[in-house]
Amino acid sequence: MLSRSVTRLASAAPRSGVRALSSTALQQSATPSMGDISPSRTTVDEFNRKQQQFREQLIKAQKEREARALARQEPAASTSSPATGKTQAASQTANETTGTAAQSKEHQPERKSGALTNLIYGTKEGREMDAQIEASFSQVLARGKYVHSIVFHEVKPDKVDEYVELVGQWYPKMANLPENKVHLVGSWRTEVGDCDTFVHIWEYQKYEGYHDSRHNITHHPEFADFDRKLAKLIKSKKISLMQEFSFWPTTPPRQLGGVFELRSYTLHPGNLLEWETHWRRGLKARREVMEGVGAWFVQIGELNTVHHLWQFANLEERRARREQSWSVEGWSDTVHKTVPLIQEMKSRVLIPMPWSPVA
């Protein structure tokens, strides 16, 4: 079983290739709650110390990866020009986008021009732009390296302890089997919001990895027994498949302590690309004062939904950090431009489970 310590994390060079399948054993039988987290100033200082150490080691790991990549490129530089390679790659990407857009336009019936037609369908130029955006939508928004699933289990109130024991044994076991090719980002219990609801985020190597992992786990000799027991403990189960926004990679495993906030936004259909544009600009301001875990948009499941996950030392620190972000240049403009795009929003305060790699 792999350690989740920050020191081990840095040496593992996170997010290069297949990520570490890390988790820990179940450490307690009682369900974690807000009462387990000390509100003292000492606890806040410890959170800040771990946060700083974690960020510094991420930067160090990134520099090491860049140095290795540069070393690999140097032998190739003597046989080919980097500029030529970039030009060819850009040309190929442009041709692919143009070709896909052309195919989309090919199947689109011609409409008569006129004021009423343009009002209903948009201008011809606008439709062509929509086709180009649609053709490259995933490439623009997502990193494309991973697919994440977010799982919501609504547990029967009198079955919470049984659920914690069952899932606390099964999830780390599945995450630690190399043949499953799956990484458990984290598991949390809802403290404020949908009570008795547990949230789990898994990471797969694209959709192929998701399918392979699901096939392997479903055919595990103990899966049928686990699934039968789980069905008796929960009232409902909800799963969506998501991708990371290209500007915000999901954090590797870490142990900072504190509480988490999952913010979920249902956007008006067609506004996801605009949302990403504004959030990309405003995120720098937010992350200067707050510790982000990840940001994802749903591709299969609850469409037009965006999830952001943040981590704080405690709820008072959450309040202070959110207020502080308003003083950072760029954040108020981001809020002003994204609020009209939202149809519904929800906030959940989460407590990490003992086996959660991100905690």
Side-chain angles (χ1 to χ4, degrees):
M1 189 169 294
L2 302 181
S3 168
R4 289 181 293 166
S5 68
V6 178
T7 304
R8 177 78 175 267
L9 186 156
S11 62
R15 299 205 65 84
S16 60
V18 179
R19 287 182 54 169
L21 308 177
S22 58
S23 61
T24 62
L26 186 61
Q27 299 172 354
Q28 60 187 60
S29 57
T31 305
S33 71
M34 185 74 73
D36 300 325
I37 301 172
S38 171
S40 68
R41 184 67 237 178
T42 301
T43 302
V44 174
D45 292 341
E46 179 68 7
F47 179 95
N48 292 336
R49 183 189 65 79
K50 291 180 178 179
Q51 179 190 56
Q52 181 65 25
Q53 183 183 40
F54 176 79
R55 290 185 173 186
E56 289 174 353
Q57 292 178 344
L58 278 185
I59 294 172
K60 179 181 177 182
Q62 177 64 27
K63 290 180 178 178
E64 291 175 353
R65 287 196 299 272
E66 291 173 354
R68 289 194 297 269
L70 183 61
R72 288 194 298 267
Q73 291 174 3
E74 286 178 352
S78 60
T79 57
S80 64
S81 168
T84 303
K86 290 180 181 179
T87 302
Q88 291 174 345
S91 177
Q92 181 179 356
T93 303
N95 290 337
E96 289 174 355
T97 304
T98 304
T100 310
Q103 290 177 9
S104 176
K105 180 182 177 183
E106 203 173 84
H107 295 288
Q108 185 175 350
E110 283 294 328
R111 299 188 179 99
K112 295 179 180 180
S113 61
L116 181 60
T117 301
N118 290 341
L119 177 64
I120 297 175
Y121 300 109
T123 64
K124 180 180 178 181
E125 292 78 10
R127 294 197 301 271
E128 290 177 354
M129 183 178 295
D130 287 342
Q132 291 176 357
I133 290 175
E134 184 178 356
S136 59
F137 198 67
S138 293
Q139 291 91 329
V140 170
L141 291 177
R143 295 182 70 231
K145 193 173 183 181
Y146 301 100
V147 166
H148 292 79
S149 69
I150 185 167
V151 181
F152 295 92
H153 286 160
E154 185 183 4
V155 181
K156 298 175 182 177
D158 60 336
K159 301 294 185 181
V160 168
D161 287 343
E162 291 180 52
Y163 172 88
V164 170
E165 182 177 0
L166 177 68
V167 175
Q169 297 292 337
W170 179 256
Y171 273 18
K173 185 175 184 177
M174 292 301 100
N176 284 322
L177 291 177
E179 61 268 26
N180 287 343
K181 300 177 182 178
V182 61
H183 167 71
L184 178 62
V185 175
S187 296
W188 300 268
R189 183 189 69 81
T190 303
E191 174 80 15
V192 180
D194 304 314
C195 293
D196 300 320
T197 297
F198 290 74
V199 182
H200 311 279
I201 298 179
W202 295 85
E203 180 177 88
Y204 307 88
Q205 299 290 313
K206 302 184 178 182
Y207 286 107
E208 182 179 4
Y210 174 78
H211 199 162
D212 289 345
S213 298
R214 295 301 304 153
H215 181 271
N216 288 340
I217 293 173
T218 302
H219 286 79
H220 189 280
E222 299 175 18
F223 174 77
D225 183 56
F226 164 79
D227 202 41
R228 177 180 55 79
K229 292 178 179 178
L230 180 66
K232 296 179 180 180
L233 305 179
I234 63 176
K235 294 194 290 184
S236 67
K237 176 170 62 175
K238 186 168 59 178
I239 302 174
S240 290
L241 295 183
M242 319 178 293
Q243 283 198 287
E244 304 166 305
F245 281 105
S246 59
F247 58 83
W248 192 349
T250 305
T251 183
R254 68 191 189 194
Q255 290 283 295
L256 303 184
V259 301
F260 293 75
E261 182 182 19
L262 178 65
R263 298 186 69 87
S264 304
Y265 302 86
T266 302
L267 307 181
H268 294 287
N271 285 327
L272 185 57
L273 189 59
E274 185 176 353
W275 169 278
E276 188 270 352
T277 300
H278 297 313
W279 248 98
R280 179 190 293 269
R281 295 169 182 166
L283 183 65
K284 182 179 179 182
R286 244 316 165 69
R287 294 181 79 174
E288 286 182 12
V289 297
M290 291 167 53
E291 184 61 39
V293 176
W296 308 268
F297 63 95
V298 174
Q299 283 201 316
I300 302 176
E302 293 191 326
L303 300 179
N304 304 304
T305 299
V306 174
H307 296 290
H308 296 165
L309 187 58
W310 302 88
Q311 188 171 8
F312 305 92
N314 54 41
L315 289 183
E316 175 59 25
E317 280 293 297
R318 170 192 174 274
R319 180 201 62 77
R321 300 287 177 145
R322 287 178 61 84
E323 287 187 1
Q324 187 179 353
S325 65
W326 286 97
S327 64
V328 181
E329 183 179 358
W331 176 242
S332 59
D333 185 59
T334 296
V335 174
H336 176 73
K337 291 179 178 177
T338 55
V339 165
L341 309 179
I342 301 171
Q343 185 174 359
E344 182 181 357
M345 59 192 301
K346 178 179 289 189
S347 171
R348 301 175 178 89
V349 173
L350 307 177
I351 306 298
M353 301 307 294
W355 66 83
S356 180
V358 175

